[in-house]
Amino acid sequence: MRDQPVPRALIILVGIAGAVIALFGLREIAAIAGPVILSLVLVIAVAPVRGWLDARRAPVWVQVAVPFLIVVLVLLGMAGILTISISQLASLLPTYAGQFEQLLVDGQRWAAAHGLGTDVFNRALRTFDPGRLLGLAQALLGSLIGVLSSLFLIVVSLLAMCLDAPVTAKILAAGEGSRPQLVTALATFAHKTRRYLIVSTVFGLLNAILNVIALSLLDVPLPLLWGVLALIANYVPNIGFVIALVPPALLALLDEGVRTMALVIVAYVVINVIIQSFILPKFLGDAVELSTTMTFISLIVWAFVLGPLGAILAVPLSLLARAVLIDSDPSATWARDLVSGRLPNRRDQAAH
């Protein structure tokens, strides 16, 4: 009697169950997994520097030290800017208690003048406590301390991965004979991730610079902080623009009023539409090859698993999962097309 083939539905269900278990396992160690994965992505980003040094026969210690120092200096620079800016924000927030209370009173008057209910404003006024702004500032400082504590783990992981990078590259090259599909998939993942990071960083910097200029012209406090936030939020697909917009818009409302808030929103929308909708797609092209739906699902899943860091790394993590689970399997062409959201061409159909 011949063995009965395993039903495909059962294979899919077992695969989904295994994925759920793996994701929840990662969620339990998110404090470790997040920084380590970020280190891996950063090492991939600076891999061309190591390749350039290797082509010029630089010593191995130089191939390790130069990429490592580039990443560390960038991380320390961003951490320094965030530390100074958040400290300024922590001291600035309590001074807006009066403006916030006046804003609620004005809103109550406007609602009453237009025949709208004022219950929401009345409850807000009764429960408003200026000390909560100070508590929010302290919470921001506490979050910053948490980020800085993770920075040590990131730096140590970076050093270890940079030390192993030359050997790892040779091991992957040696595996092309036995596992060509997997090696090719991993190489493609590294290339796509690097292109995504480079292009997103360049245009994120352009976006951040334009935002800082606009906020400075509108006299919104702490424009540098909101510029760094715009750069970081640029890596968050779909909702990054909203994350970058809300804090400076609210601060503009408290500091200058509704007119300045509206100008901030208009400036951010114009800058975002020009860069994200017209310029960025021409340079990014098909580097990601993830459909809009898959990108949004990736954001939800990885943010659930790794928190805010997962939202930032959603696209690279999805590219890694695609490389290991789909691109390394020659028979998964249909899944590759489904994830990328593109129709297969006739050549692919003829080949399969």
Side-chain angles (χ1 to χ4, degrees), residues 54-71:
D54 182 49
R56 282 151 181 78
R57 302 187 181 277
V60 175
W61 69 268
V62 175
Q63 298 180 32
V64 172
V66 172
F68 173 74
L69 289 176
I70 290 174
V71 176

Side-chain angles (χ1 to χ4, degrees), residues 15 39 55 58 70 134-135 191:
S39 301
I70 290 174
L134 181 59
H191 172 71

Side-chain angles (χ1 to χ4, degrees), residues 70-83 148 151 155:
I70 290 174
V71 176
V72 169
L73 289 175
V74 171
L75 289 176
L76 290 178
M78 292 189 66
I81 293 173
L82 287 174
T83 301
L148 293 178
L151 189 61
V155 171

